[in-house]
Amino acid sequence: QYGAAEYLLAKMATELPLDAAFAGGFGLLLHWRIGLRLPRTTLVGTLSLAAATCAALGLAIGALAPSADLALAAGIPVMIVHMVLGILNPAGTAETKPPSAAVSLASHASPIKWSIRALCCAELRGMELERRSLKEAPRMGGLALVRSGDEVLERLGLSGSSCRQCCGRLGRLLAAELALAYVGLRLQRPKYTSMAQAGAEEERERGGVDGA
């Protein structure tokens, strides 16, 4: 038998680094093929941290759910909500109407939100757009005739954000999810049965079959 702490540490040592490594490899390939402006280490680190946070979210859901089937059923809607609330406004403008308290709380718990904002800040901060590209720029919409990456961040409502700040939010979210997983494991303790009791039940079942 093992306790909740041992189980959680084992999962952290095996699953989180593996998920982070896959995301980091994807970041290396992405930076090489696309030629992004942000440093390679920033892209790889942000994607790895986001993957570890999503894996910790899965651990928390699995620990709090009373069964594996319920955990699988709850995990998909949770990730869909995080994806919907985590993306930036497709119109390219900041939200004018503040969201409700429930929506704001759910969006702050989304690892996708903070990873997207971290990458946008790292890529667009200080970027100067080429003058020739302004001829093909859209004349309408939130990103019409922007001249720098800072203007893009301002119109997206990210002028006061930074990559370091968003990654810090991801780190705190990772710690909160691991703590929630530990609490769930403590509450949902596995029930063990002794070998003698299991053997007696097996003998009774076998005797019933033979008698029939």
Side-chain angles (χ1 to χ4, degrees), residues 53 56 169-181:
T53 308
R169 293 289 188 95
L170 271 176
R172 289 193 290 272
L173 187 59
L174 173 62
E177 289 170 351
L178 291 175
L180 193 61

Side-chain angles (χ1 to χ4, degrees), residues 11 23 28 39 46 48-50 66 90 111 125 147 157-158 170 182 185 193:
K11 297 287 282 187
L28 287 174
T46 303
S48 299
L49 182 58
R125 184 75 65 193
R147 298 179 180 274
L158 301 177
L170 271 176
Y182 177 75
L185 289 172
T193 182

Side-chain angles (χ1 to χ4, degrees), residues 13-101:
T14 55
E15 292 189 2
L16 297 190
L18 186 61
D19 293 336
F22 274 107
F26 172 73
L28 287 174
L29 181 62
L30 191 67
H31 194 280
W32 172 56
R33 294 298 298 173
I34 298 181
L36 297 173
R37 177 178 171 272
L38 75 166
R40 184 185 297 107
T41 54
T42 301
L43 177 62
V44 171
T46 303
L47 291 179
S48 299
L49 182 58
T53 308
C54 292
L57 176 62
L59 287 177
I61 295 175
L64 292 171
S67 64
D69 294 337
L70 188 57
L72 290 175
I76 297 177
V78 169
M79 288 306 300
I80 291 176
V81 170
H82 284 335
M83 291 175 62
V84 171
L85 297 179
I87 61 174
L88 294 171
N89 189 352
T93 57
E95 297 179 354
T96 56
K97 182 180 179 181
S100 62

Side-chain angles (χ1 to χ4, degrees), residues 105-188:
L105 180 61
S107 65
H108 277 71
S110 171
I112 298 175
K113 171 182 179 177
W114 301 117
S115 58
I116 290 177
R117 280 155 175 75
L119 295 177
C120 286
C121 290
E123 176 69 18
L124 298 175
R125 184 75 65 193
M127 174 188 290
E128 294 293 334
L129 302 181
E130 297 181 4
R131 295 290 182 179
R132 61 184 182 184
S133 64
L134 295 178
K135 297 179 180 180
E136 302 177 357
R139 297 300 189 270
M140 298 178 63
L143 300 181
L145 299 178
V146 293
R147 298 179 180 274
S148 65
D150 292 332
E151 289 186 25
V152 177
L153 293 176
E154 182 180 359
R155 299 192 184 190
L156 292 175
L158 301 177
S159 57
S161 302
S162 65
C163 180
R164 182 183 296 273
Q165 178 187 5
C166 295
C167 287
R169 293 289 188 95
L170 271 176
R172 289 193 290 272
L173 187 59
L174 173 62
E177 289 170 351
L178 291 175
L180 193 61
Y182 177 75
V183 173
L185 289 172
R186 294 284 295 179
L187 295 176
Q188 302 286 344

Side-chain angles (χ1 to χ4, degrees), residues 188-209:
Q188 302 286 344
R189 289 185 177 181
K191 298 178 176 60
Y192 300 96
T193 182
S194 63
M195 295 298 294
Q197 181 181 357
E201 292 178 355
E202 184 178 354
E203 288 294 336
R204 285 196 299 269
E205 293 177 357
R206 187 180 303 172
V209 172

